[in-house]
Amino acid sequence: MLANRLKILLAERDLSIKDVVNVTGLTRPSISNMVNNPFANISTENVDKLCNYLEVTIDQFYDYLPWHFSIGYSLRDRKLKFRYEEKFEVGHFLVEASSGHKKSDTGFMVLLTASAPTTDNPALIFSIQTPTNGSFDNLYNEMSPLFRHTLQGNIIESMKDFCIELDDEYNFAEIYQNSSSIKIYVDMYGMPKNYERNELFTCSFEYSFKASNNDGKKS
C-alpha cells in the first residue's frame, strides 16, 4: 500500500491548497484530489514539484506499507434466536494480508449484544474478537495512523454489509417496531494482553431498517 502524505505535510507547515497552487502552478482540483485521496495517482513530474516546494524527500512524501489487505465475513451457519442484552456469536470476520509470497490470515468472531426493544435509543454492539495467534495485531501496530484509518474504514464498510445480511436474518424493523433505524457500535479486539482485552479500535454508525409493510414483512 502506497499513500501520499500531502495533507499531513501541509498541516505541519500551516499551508493551504491555495499556497501550493500559487507556487507550483498545479491546479486546485488536482491538489484537492491528492489531499482528499491519499491513494490518488500522481505523475512523477507533479511529485517532483511538490517535493521541491515542500523540501521533502520522496520517502517523506509517501507512506508505504508492504502489505495488501482483503476483508471478508460470513454469518453463522445456523440462525440463533435473537437474544437481548446477552452476548452471542452471529458470524465470523476474516482479514487476509499479503506481501509478496507471504500471507497472514486472521479470523475473528463477531459477537452481538442487542438492546431490548423497549429501550428509548436502541443499539446493537458488535464485538469483533480474534481467537487466533495475534498476527493481525502485529501488522496493525506496524501501520502508520493513515493506514490504520484506511483499514478501519474498510472494516466499517464491511460491517455495514454485514448488518444488511443480519437484518435479512432477523428483520430489525419487526424487532424494533418503534424505530426506523438503530445505532451500531463496533469494537475490534486483538489478542488479550495481561489477561485484559486488547482494543484495536472502536467506531459507530447509524443503520436504517429496510422498508416493511403493515404485516411486518419486508416489501
Side-chain angles (χ1 to χ4, degrees):
M1 297 172 67
L2 185 68
N4 78 72
R5 301 181 62 249
L6 184 57
K7 185 174 184 178
I8 298 169
L9 294 169
L10 295 184
E12 289 174 347
R13 291 158 175 76
D14 196 25
L15 293 170
S16 66
I17 291 177
K18 183 179 179 181
D19 294 328
V20 181
V21 170
N22 290 339
V23 175
T24 64
L26 299 175
T27 66
R28 176 177 286 274
S30 65
I31 297 298
S32 297
N33 184 45
M34 297 176 209
V35 168
N36 296 317
N37 178 17
F39 299 98
N41 289 324
I42 311 174
S43 70
T44 54
E45 180 182 359
N46 288 346
V47 171
D48 181 51
K49 287 181 180 179
L50 291 168
C51 286
N52 181 270
Y53 170 62
L54 297 169
E55 298 182 323
V56 295
T57 60
I58 192 72
D59 60 318
Q60 293 170 324
F61 183 80
Y62 279 111
D63 202 351
Y64 177 66
L65 181 73
W67 291 91
H68 287 265
F69 293 88
S70 61
I71 298 169
Y73 62 85
S74 63
L75 265 62
R76 187 184 174 99
D77 291 339
R78 183 171 59 86
K79 178 181 175 181
L80 300 175
K81 182 179 179 181
F82 201 81
R83 305 199 298 268
Y84 307 115
E85 299 175 349
E86 180 183 340
K87 188 174 291 185
F88 64 103
E89 184 182 339
V90 290
H92 294 88
F93 208 73
L94 177 69
V95 178
E96 180 183 89
S98 60
S99 178
H101 298 293
K102 295 184 294 184
K103 288 190 179 296
S104 175
D105 293 337
T106 302
F108 294 83
M109 296 181 294
V110 182
L111 306 176
L112 172 65
T113 306
S115 64
T118 54
T119 308
D120 292 335
N121 299 303
L124 303 180
I125 301 174
F126 290 103
S127 298
I128 308 177
Q129 301 181 0
T130 176
T132 50
N133 60 11
S135 59
F136 178 81
D137 302 38
N138 296 330
L139 291 177
Y140 188 82
N141 291 330
E142 291 175 4
M143 295 180 194
S144 68
L146 172 60
F147 286 129
R148 286 186 186 182
H149 179 74
T150 300
L151 186 61
Q152 289 169 11
N154 292 337
I155 290 172
I156 293 168
E157 290 305 311
S158 292
M159 286 305 299
K160 290 180 179 179
D161 292 337
F162 185 91
C163 284
I164 293 173
E165 294 198 21
L166 203 66
D167 194 358
D168 289 337
E169 288 280 343
Y170 292 107
N171 191 351
F172 295 151
E174 184 176 335
I175 294 172
Y176 297 99
Q177 295 181 10
N178 296 324
S179 302
S180 60
S181 63
I182 196 166
K183 192 78 170 179
I184 304 292
Y185 295 93
V186 179
D187 300 318
M188 190 165 191
Y189 297 95
M191 289 294 289
K193 292 183 178 179
N194 300 323
Y195 302 102
E196 294 184 0
R197 292 191 301 179
N198 174 28
E199 184 174 278
L200 298 176
F201 78 91
T202 183
C203 69
S204 64
F205 58 88
E206 199 84 12
Y207 177 77
S208 298
F209 302 146
K210 293 184 177 180
S212 301
N213 60 27
N214 295 332
D215 297 326
K217 297 178 182 179
K218 294 176 188 175
S219 57

